[in-house]
Amino acid sequence: MKKMPIRMLSAAALAAMLTVPGFAHSAEESAAATTAIPASGFVKKETDGAFTALQIGKKVHVYNENGQIFHTQELNQIGPLVDLFLLPDGSKQLPFILVNNEENGLIAFTDLWPHLTSGLNTSASNTIDAYDSGRVFYTPQDKIISKTGLHYAEQKNGQKVVVYSANDYGDLEKGYREAFRTDGQLRGLILYDYKHPYVVVEKEGRIRVLQADSTGAAEQVATINL
């Protein structure tokens, strides 16, 4: 098996790579964020479960029944809304949006990861910041590495996709283990809160999102409309 190049990430480097610009927002800006779902003024609307995504200008705003959760805002985030889909994290359903950014292609965004806001009491009050959580591609890929470097996915023999996770999140020199595998063509890799990889594959003409179930087998948890 071809080995993935190993890169050591210091705690400082990882923190810098995953810096959340929203922590610099003022309380006034957060409080001023739109809380109600607009009835007009949007160019595209997607709904899934209790969540709604609206394309308003170049930004995408995501809402639940209580109001806005987050929206895209920076040059590396803005672009047309492609789809809204839900992914499980334990018993919770998490909203993700897929945006076609002019420079970076298809990017999956969700709310700020809990790991980033732990102890800061910001995730509930911050209704602004979207967090880049992965990539999806219009064409099949041979290999996709997560931005954290903690997970990657590879196409094997043209038929299987294998997802790998680091043995030790604090020391990538300890290598990687197989997390799960599935049939299909590799089309994306999405993360949530560092630890939870979802792989995106094309199978039987559909774009499917899968995770490892409690036994380590792949289970489909969503589909994406491209």
Side-chain angles (χ1 to χ4, degrees), residues 41-46 52-56 59-61 80-84 98 225-226:
F42 52 85
V43 297
K44 185 174 183 179
K45 178 179 181 179
E46 295 282 346
T52 298
L54 299 179
Q55 179 87 48
I56 302 175
K59 299 178 181 180
V60 178
H61 298 249
L81 170 63
V82 177
D83 199 13
L84 165 69
L98 194 63
N225 295 317
L226 296 183

Side-chain angles (χ1 to χ4, degrees), residues 124-191:
S125 60
N126 187 319
T127 61
I128 297 173
D129 294 299
Y131 196 65
D132 173 358
S133 298
R135 295 292 185 273
V136 177
F137 297 87
Y138 282 113
T139 57
Q141 304 292 302
D142 294 327
K143 185 174 185 176
I144 303 172
I145 304 173
S146 72
K147 75 175 191 177
T148 64
L150 300 177
H151 310 273
Y152 69 98
E154 276 190 330
Q155 186 77 52
K156 297 288 188 180
N157 302 320
Q159 301 297 323
K160 294 284 186 182
V161 173
V162 184
V163 179
Y164 298 90
S165 295
N167 289 317
D168 184 338
Y169 287 179
D171 185 358
L172 298 186
E173 286 192 342
K174 293 183 179 178
Y176 294 77
R177 68 186 185 281
E178 180 177 320
F180 63 98
R181 62 175 54 208
T182 185
D183 296 328
Q185 301 292 313
L186 177 60
R187 296 287 288 273
L189 184 63
I190 299 171
L191 297 186

Side-chain angles (χ1 to χ4, degrees), residues 88 180 209-214 217-222:
F180 63 98
V209 187
L210 301 99
Q211 67 173 3
D213 66 14
S214 58
E219 64 171 350
Q220 181 176 318
V221 292

Side-chain angles (χ1 to χ4, degrees), residues 80-146:
L81 170 63
V82 177
D83 199 13
L84 165 69
F85 55 99
L86 306 184
L87 296 179
D89 181 50
S91 61
K92 297 184 296 183
Q93 289 290 309
L94 308 171
F96 285 76
I97 53 172
L98 194 63
V99 170
N100 193 359
N101 180 261
E102 183 176 354
E103 182 176 347
N104 298 307
L106 296 173
I107 311 175
F109 293 100
T110 191
D111 201 2
L112 296 178
W113 293 356
H115 192 93
L116 297 170
T117 59
S118 177
L120 297 178
N121 194 29
T122 61
S123 58
S125 60
N126 187 319
T127 61
I128 297 173
D129 294 299
Y131 196 65
D132 173 358
S133 298
R135 295 292 185 273
V136 177
F137 297 87
Y138 282 113
T139 57
Q141 304 292 302
D142 294 327
K143 185 174 185 176
I144 303 172
I145 304 173
S146 72

